């Protein structure tokens, strides 16, 4: 070899830097993802979907209707086993929803009461940061989307999500017990999932693309309007902004910096 | 050569195993695929693209659709004849080609192709 | 080096056969997991990472420790470490292989494993993890092969 080790290492280091820097330079000259990800603002443009859950209008029956609607529209199976449970939207007690807020003298109307929980479609989602294949990513319109074609089932997003909104298909969802899922699949226009992929609420991306409201919002509106308010957080005249303006709202675990976009009116 | 006895015997066994599919099926021909169109498909006369294109490239079309729908959010496809279709295997494709076992499976089974689309996407219910 | 692995006493061969049988049992269990899904592991929605990930991190540590043992002999030319170097190297190679295999069995959808390479997401720690462990694996294998002077030492 005509070259000595030191020279070789210098050349290798320089070419590695140029290779890595070259891609970054290319991206910077053509403004795109690299630039956008360097800002701490989300990759949203135009709309920014968010939701307000008005717990003053919610009761157990209405929450059950929302859950049933979502799980029906998306073929979410009822596996009957809390370990393998798949849920896109569910009920959780006050203590578990807002863990930092619980104290000894909580009013009777909140203590032990169920709240409606779903994916918060955070502004700075930890799940998207850790996905090794970008099978989950934050869309420009604010929806944290799942691509089940690309998911490798590593469950890192489940570990990263601070709110526990993600479920993994531990087994084949089509093998769910028939007694618990009489008409499975309940929606023939939407696919089921296979085993080995993670799923979660996707703000009914396929419905909002057609201009419809998410299934839970539509189910709630049929019974009690404005119990669930869905809309564009960037539009000051939207319903969701009006709700946020009229009432005091809190979010789940805001101290974590993930920026959840589901607000609760207590 | 060294160990020529073992090598030659091993070669004969190896080549015999390798050629097994050929001499086992010698003289028999598998039935050619015979995909049949539903009345709805016949009425539509043409698929999203031309028959020739669909025959050669429906897999890459579906792959492109899958990428565009899920990742780019573009759910409508403008075909080369100008018609606009909703990009969905279950809703659009299977609407006309609802006889999966007599249409899709004919060629797929012949070529031993097992697309995993159906692990998630719901197959249309057939009456037989 | 490999010819030393093929010659041995009946006790040696019975030990090898026993280990191969254990590997076979493990492979059979993995086949069961392939068909049934990860539900057979007993992990749940709340405990989505368990023994597999624990073992992954453990064996990465063991492989790194192999590097520590090997360092004085190669980098500092301290020949007295020659006899433990070989143990360290084989241990490192074996544990990095185990580590990689633990990742693979933990994946819910193994056929899509290469998606990490095709669609990389540099902000993910797993991406860093997979690239460093693959480079650690190749470097330990390469150090194993590129040492003609060591074959003289008795194992």
């Amino acid at each position: 070899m005509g070259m000595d080790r030191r020279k070789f290492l210098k050349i290798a280091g320089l070419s590695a830097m140029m290779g890595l820097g070259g891609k970054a330079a290319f991206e910077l000259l053509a403004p795109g993802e690299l630039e956008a990800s360097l800002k701490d603002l989300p990759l949203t443009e135009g709309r920014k979907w968010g939701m307000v859950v008005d717990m003053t209008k919610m009761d157990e029956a209405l929450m059950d209707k929302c859950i049933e609607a979502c799980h029906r529209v998306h073929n979410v199976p009822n596996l009957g086993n809390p370990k393998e449970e798949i849920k896109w939207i569910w009920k959780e007690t006050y203590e578990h929803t807002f863990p930092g807020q619980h104290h000894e003298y909580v009013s009777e109307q909140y203590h032990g009461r169920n709240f409606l929980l779903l994916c918060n479609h955070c502004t700075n989602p930890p799940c998207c940061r850790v996905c090794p294949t970008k099978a989950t990513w934050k869309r420009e319109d604010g929806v944290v989307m799942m691509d089940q074609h690309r998911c490798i089932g590593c469950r890192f997003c489940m570990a990263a999500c601070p709110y526990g909104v993600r479920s993994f298909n531990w087994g084949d969802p089509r093998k769910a017990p028939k007694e618990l899922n009489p008409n499975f699949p309940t929606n023939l226009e939407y696919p089921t999932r296979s085993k080995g992929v993670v799923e979660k609420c996707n703000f009914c991306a396929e419905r909002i693309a057609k201009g419809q409201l998410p299934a839970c919002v539509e189910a709630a509106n049929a019974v009690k309007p404005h119990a669930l308010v869905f809309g564009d957080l960037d539009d000051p005249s939207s319903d969701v902004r009006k709700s946020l303006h009229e009432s005091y709202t809190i979010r789940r675990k805001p101290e974590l910096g993930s920026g959840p976009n589901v607000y609760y009116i207590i | 050569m060294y160990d020529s006895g073992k090598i030659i015997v091993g070669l004969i066994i190896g080549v015999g195993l390798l050629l097994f599919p050929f001499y086992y099926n010698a003289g028999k021909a598998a039935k050619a695929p015979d995909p049949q169109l539903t009345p709805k498909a016949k009425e539509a006369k043409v698929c999203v693209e031309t028959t020739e294109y669909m025959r050669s490239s429906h897999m890459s079309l579906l792959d492109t659709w899958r990428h565009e729908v899920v990742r780019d959010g573009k759910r409508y496809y403008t075909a080369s004849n100008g018609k606009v279709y909703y990009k969905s295997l279950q809703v659009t494709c299977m609407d006309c080609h609802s006889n999966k076992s007599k249409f899709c499976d004919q060629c797929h089974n012949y070529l031993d192709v097992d697309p995993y689309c159906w692990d998630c996407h719901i197959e249309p219910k057939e009456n037989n | 080096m490999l010819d030393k692995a093929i010659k041995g006493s009946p006790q040696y061969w019975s030990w090898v056969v026993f280990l191969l049988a254990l590997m076979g049992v493990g492979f059979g269990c993995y086949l069961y997991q392939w068909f049934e899904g990860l539900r057979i592991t007993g992990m749940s929605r709340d405990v989505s990472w368990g023994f597999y990930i624990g073992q992954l991190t453990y064996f990465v540590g063991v492989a790194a420790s192999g590097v520590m043992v090997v360092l004085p002999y190669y980098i500092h030319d301290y020949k007295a470490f020659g006899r433990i170097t070989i143990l360290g190297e084989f241990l490192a190679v074996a544990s990095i292989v185990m580590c990689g295999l633990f990742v693979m069995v933990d994946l819910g959808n193994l056929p899509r494993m290469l998606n990490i390479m095709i669609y990389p997401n540099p902000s993910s720690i797993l991406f860093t993890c997979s690239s460093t462990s693959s480079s650690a694996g190749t470097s330990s294998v390469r150090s194993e092969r590129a040492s003609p002077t060591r074959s003289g030492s008795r194992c």
Side-chain angles (χ1 to χ4, degrees):
Chain A
M1 274 266 167
M3 200 185 283
D4 68 341
R5 186 161 53 189
R6 187 164 287 186
K7 196 167 171 203
F8 175 77
L9 282 175
K10 273 194 208 158
I11 295 179
L14 267 173
S15 42
M17 274 210 305
M18 288 220 295
L20 292 172
K23 181 172 198 299
F26 186 73
E27 290 259 333
L28 281 170
L29 291 172
E33 273 185 57
L34 181 72
E35 214 179 34
S37 61
L38 287 173
K39 303 189 195 144
D40 32 306
L41 291 172
L43 270 170
T44 54
E45 199 176 75
R47 302 206 183 233
K48 188 178 167 207
W49 298 114
M51 190 186 275
V52 170
V53 179
D54 190 346
M55 292 307 300
T56 59
K57 298 195 173 85
M58 277 276 173
D59 56 21
E60 285 287 322
L62 185 54
M63 287 196 267
D64 284 338
K65 279 206 179 67
C66 297
I67 296 172
E68 189 274 332
C70 169
H71 288 188
R72 176 175 31 88
V73 165
H74 296 111
N75 298 319
V76 176
N78 176 4
L79 294 166
N81 176 0
K83 272 176 92 168
E84 297 174 31
E85 194 179 22
I86 301 175
K87 45 198 192 193
W88 290 31
I89 180 171
W90 72 105
K91 297 184 289 196
E92 198 70 74
T93 59
Y94 172 74
E95 291 76 24
H96 290 150
T97 309
F98 304 109
Q101 292 294 323
H102 181 64
H103 57 85
E104 242 181 280
Y105 308 108
V106 170
S107 152
E108 280 310 307
Q109 55 171 267
Y110 302 118
H111 180 65
R113 184 182 165 195
N114 276 337
F115 280 62
L116 194 63
L117 268 54
L118 58 152
C119 171
N120 292 300
H121 295 274
C122 304
T123 305
N124 187 10
C127 57
C128 300
R129 201 156 62 235
V130 299
C131 177
T133 58
K134 267 212 151 52
T136 183
W137 74 102
K138 186 152 181 78
R139 285 194 337 188
E140 292 205 358
D141 62 351
V143 173
V144 173
M145 188 66 179
M146 256 325 282
D147 181 4
Q148 263 98 17
H149 303 112
R150 205 185 271 191
C151 179
I152 60 172
C154 70
R155 312 185 295 291
F156 202 168
C157 57
M158 286 174 75
C161 176
Y163 307 106
V165 311
R166 290 171 162 273
S167 315
F168 183 66
N169 284 288
W170 297 101
D172 191 349
R174 294 185 182 185
K175 291 193 186 141
K178 292 236 167 19
E179 324 80 69
L180 298 166
N181 301 282
N183 298 319
F184 192 80
T186 41
N187 182 7
L188 291 171
E189 294 186 2
Y190 193 78
T192 66
R193 268 68 58 201
S194 62
K195 70 167 157 53
V197 292
V198 172
E199 58 186 75
K200 69 168 186 78
C201 159
N202 60 357
F203 261 176
C204 289
E206 75 286 356
R207 287 172 62 102
I208 63 178
K210 288 188 201 156
Q212 297 172 313
L213 284 171
C216 52
V217 179
E218 202 178 81
N221 281 347
V223 175
K224 205 176 275 184
H226 296 295
L228 284 178
V229 187
F230 178 81
D232 184 4
L233 288 167
D234 263 351
D235 175 10
S237 61
S238 68
D239 280 339
V240 68
R241 284 287 292 269
K242 285 204 205 106
S243 284
L244 287 170
H245 181 72
E246 284 161 11
S247 322
Y248 179 67
T249 52
I250 63 174
R251 300 179 295 177
R252 296 187 66 199
K253 300 191 195 175
E255 67 276 4
L256 294 175
S258 49
N261 287 314
V262 171
Y263 300 82
Y264 290 87
I265 297 174
I266 309 283
Chain B
M1 53 177 143
Y2 294 116
D3 290 330
S4 59
K6 291 185 200 150
I7 291 179
I8 292 180
V9 168
L11 264 178
I12 292 174
I13 296 176
V15 172
L17 283 173
L18 204 67
L19 294 176
F20 176 79
F22 295 100
Y23 57 77
Y24 181 76
N25 290 317
K28 298 178 232 168
K31 188 164 155 301
D34 177 29
Q36 286 165 3
L37 297 169
T38 57
K40 191 165 179 184
K42 283 195 199 120
E43 213 186 293
K45 291 225 185 1
V46 68
C47 189
V48 172
E49 294 290 347
T50 61
T51 310
E52 278 314 307
Y53 179 81
M54 292 311 272
R55 204 173 264 153
S56 65
S57 313
H58 67 277
M59 329 79 173
S60 52
L61 182 79
L62 285 171
D63 226 17
T64 311
W65 277 14
R66 151 177 118 167
H67 190 274
E68 287 178 355
V69 167
V70 180
R71 302 203 72 90
D72 299 335
K74 301 191 173 77
R75 293 176 184 262
Y76 290 93
Y77 177 70
T78 312
S80 38
N81 62 0
K83 263 187 89 172
V84 172
Y85 294 93
Y86 184 62
K87 290 180 196 164
S88 167
L89 173 66
Q90 265 173 257
V91 174
T92 305
C93 306
M94 290 295 124
D95 191 34
C96 279
H97 296 297
S98 46
N99 57 343
K100 174 172 175 277
S101 60
K102 292 204 176 72
F103 185 71
C104 316
D105 290 350
Q106 287 287 315
C107 288
H108 289 164
N109 291 346
Y110 181 75
L111 294 165
D112 198 23
V113 166
D114 189 16
Y116 59 84
C117 315
W118 306 109
D119 284 350
C120 296
H121 290 276
I122 303 174
E123 301 174 17
K125 215 172 287 198
E126 291 175 68
N127 293 329
N128 41 336
Chain C
M1 196 61 48
L2 273 180
D3 58 321
K4 282 196 162 56
I6 303 178
K7 300 192 188 82
S9 61
Q11 288 97 329
Y12 168 75
W13 281 115
S14 52
W15 175 242
V16 168
V17 166
F18 172 71
L19 289 178
L20 283 174
L22 274 184
M23 285 166 68
V25 167
F27 184 67
C29 292
Y30 181 69
L31 277 185
Y32 182 45
Q33 187 189 285
W34 176 277
F35 289 111
E36 269 297 299
L38 276 148
R39 56 193 294 262
I40 63 161
T41 57
M43 289 189 272
S44 67
R45 199 173 175 279
D46 301 314
V47 183
S48 55
W49 274 355
F51 202 52
Y52 285 151
I53 299 281
Q55 291 293 291
L56 187 165
T57 53
Y58 173 70
F59 281 115
V60 160
V62 171
S65 70
V67 171
M68 294 307 298
V69 164
V70 153
L71 218 89
Y73 185 88
Y74 287 122
I75 310 269
H76 302 298
D77 233 7
Y78 185 59
K79 295 299 173 193
F81 258 59
R83 303 183 77 178
I84 199 173
T85 308
I86 182 68
L87 282 178
E89 283 188 357
F90 275 124
L91 183 64
V93 169
S95 61
I96 204 72
V97 167
M98 290 277 291
C99 171
L101 287 178
F102 268 116
V103 175
M104 284 164 53
V105 301
D106 188 43
L107 289 183
N109 214 317
L110 184 58
R112 295 186 190 161
M113 183 178 71
L114 291 177
N115 276 357
I116 305 182
M117 305 288 161
I118 310 172
Y119 306 112
N121 182 14
S123 75
S124 166
I125 307 174
L126 265 187
F127 174 72
T128 319
C129 209
S130 63
S131 46
T132 46
S133 66
S134 54
S135 65
T138 47
S139 64
S140 53
V141 168
R142 201 169 303 131
S143 72
E144 165 63 18
R145 282 159 49 152
S147 49
T149 55
R150 236 193 334 93
S151 54
S153 73
R154 242 145 300 173
C155 314

